[in-house]
């Protein structure tokens, strides 16, 4: 099996690459590329994202044909894709970081700044926080409710359909931590920075 981490110049993704390679060992081939033919022929995709919503969307659009290839892979061929941090946020129709920016439109919703309640909650939301499991998710196999994951973000994904939400965390409000919709998976937290439990989530995705 081949798993492709999409490298579209969205910041440092070395910890994502290292974690996936650590879990995959020699059994699964992990490729890091923006080559469209390789992305089309792979079995699973990981879409990382660091920086702002706009900068990540712009970086995807800067590689000719990449968005169309991702749409074909995910929406038409329904192969598994995991978005991490801004990688998840880009599933939305629209994001409001910097300026209003159109997202991939895979899951109806918007990405808005976390309401810090007039400075009561620090932004960005950085550090370990507790997951509240909302529904069963295949990538949470053997992960217990109230487990802690590592976050770094100031914006949150607010989907229109609450049924896609698999977990939330309480920071100012119930923030979406993860989603699952058919073949589309996403985590707002960083599994690659979330110690053994994060590696277990990566393993669960690789084993789908």
């Amino acid at each position: 099996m081949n798993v492709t981490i999409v490298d579209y110049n969205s910041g440092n993704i070395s910890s994502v690459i290292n974690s996936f390679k650590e879990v995959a060992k020699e059994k699964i081939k992990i490729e890091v590329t923006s080559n469209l033919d390789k992305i089309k022929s792979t079995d699973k995709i990981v879409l990382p994202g660091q920086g702002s919503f706009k900068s990540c969307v712009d970086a995807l659009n800067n590689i000719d044909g990449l968005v169309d290839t991702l749409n074909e892979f995910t929406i038409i061929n329904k192969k598994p894709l995991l978005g991490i941090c801004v990688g998840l946020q880009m599933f939305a129709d629209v994001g409001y970081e910097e300026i209003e920016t159109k997202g991939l439109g895979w899951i109806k919703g918007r990405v808005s700044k976390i309401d810090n309640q007039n400075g009561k909650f620090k932004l960005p939301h950085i550090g370990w926080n507790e997951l509240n499991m909302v529904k069963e998710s295949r990538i949470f196999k053997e992960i217990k409710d109230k487990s802690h994951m590592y976050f770094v973000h100031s914006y949150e994904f607010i989907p229109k359909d609450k049924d896609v939400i698999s977990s939330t965390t309480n920071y100012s409000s119930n923030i979406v931590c993860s989603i699952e919709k058919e073949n589309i998976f996403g985590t707002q937290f960083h599994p690659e920075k979330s110690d053994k439990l994060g590696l277990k989530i990566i393993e669960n995705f690789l084993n789908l």
Side-chain angles (χ1 to χ4, degrees):
M1 182 170 68
N2 292 340
V3 176
T4 296
I5 299 171
V6 182
D7 183 6
Y8 59 101
N9 306 315
S10 78
N12 182 8
I13 59 169
S14 56
S15 55
V16 174
I17 296 163
N18 292 339
S19 296
F20 272 83
K21 285 189 170 172
E22 182 185 334
V23 174
K25 300 191 168 68
E26 300 303 312
K27 294 179 289 190
I28 295 167
K29 187 182 175 197
I30 304 288
E31 191 150 27
V32 185
T33 185
S34 60
N35 179 291
L36 302 187
D37 290 330
K38 287 181 176 174
I39 291 170
K40 281 175 186 172
S41 64
T42 195
D43 297 302
K44 291 174 186 161
I45 281 178
V46 181
L47 184 65
Q50 277 197 317
S52 73
F53 185 95
K54 182 181 184 304
S55 68
C56 286
V57 169
D58 286 350
L60 281 184
N61 285 321
N62 282 341
I63 297 172
D64 198 33
L66 180 55
V67 169
D68 288 340
T69 299
L70 292 173
N71 283 332
E72 184 184 325
F73 182 94
T74 311
I75 303 303
I76 296 169
N77 296 332
K78 295 208 173 291
K79 291 190 196 173
L81 179 140
L82 172 67
I84 297 173
C85 196
V86 185
L88 153 72
Q89 293 179 2
M90 290 191 294
F91 296 171
D93 298 310
V94 63
Y96 293 99
E97 191 168 359
E98 296 180 50
I99 62 167
E100 184 177 318
T101 305
K102 193 173 171 227
L104 292 166
W106 293 345
I107 294 177
K108 288 198 174 303
R110 69 184 194 276
V111 174
S112 301
K113 195 165 192 177
I114 296 167
D115 177 10
N116 69 354
Q117 298 181 23
N118 296 324
K120 193 171 158 190
F121 291 85
K122 278 186 185 169
L123 291 182
H125 168 216
I126 298 181
W128 295 85
N129 216 333
E130 189 177 86
L131 293 191
N132 306 305
M133 303 286 193
V134 178
K135 71 169 184 179
E136 266 188 46
S137 173
R138 286 173 286 166
I139 61 170
F140 285 156
K141 191 179 172 191
E142 293 174 35
I143 305 282
K144 290 180 178 160
D145 191 23
K146 312 297 181 197
S147 294
H148 284 75
M149 299 295 168
Y150 190 81
F151 293 82
V152 185
H153 65 122
S154 299
Y155 284 73
E156 60 174 326
F157 175 39
I158 304 168
K160 281 188 177 164
D161 178 8
K162 303 303 180 215
D163 287 344
V164 303
I165 301 168
S166 54
S167 71
T168 62
T169 196
N170 200 336
Y171 193 79
S172 168
S173 64
N174 277 329
I175 288 172
V176 172
C177 287
S178 61
I179 66 106
E180 176 173 339
K181 184 186 179 185
E182 298 170 350
N183 56 306
I184 302 172
F185 302 83
T187 63
Q188 179 61 67
F189 58 85
H190 288 268
E192 78 281 5
K193 295 177 182 172
S194 297
D195 206 36
K196 285 179 184 167
L197 291 179
L199 293 178
K200 180 63 186 167
I201 288 170
I202 290 170
E203 183 187 324
N204 288 338
F205 177 72
L206 294 179
N207 287 340
L208 283 175

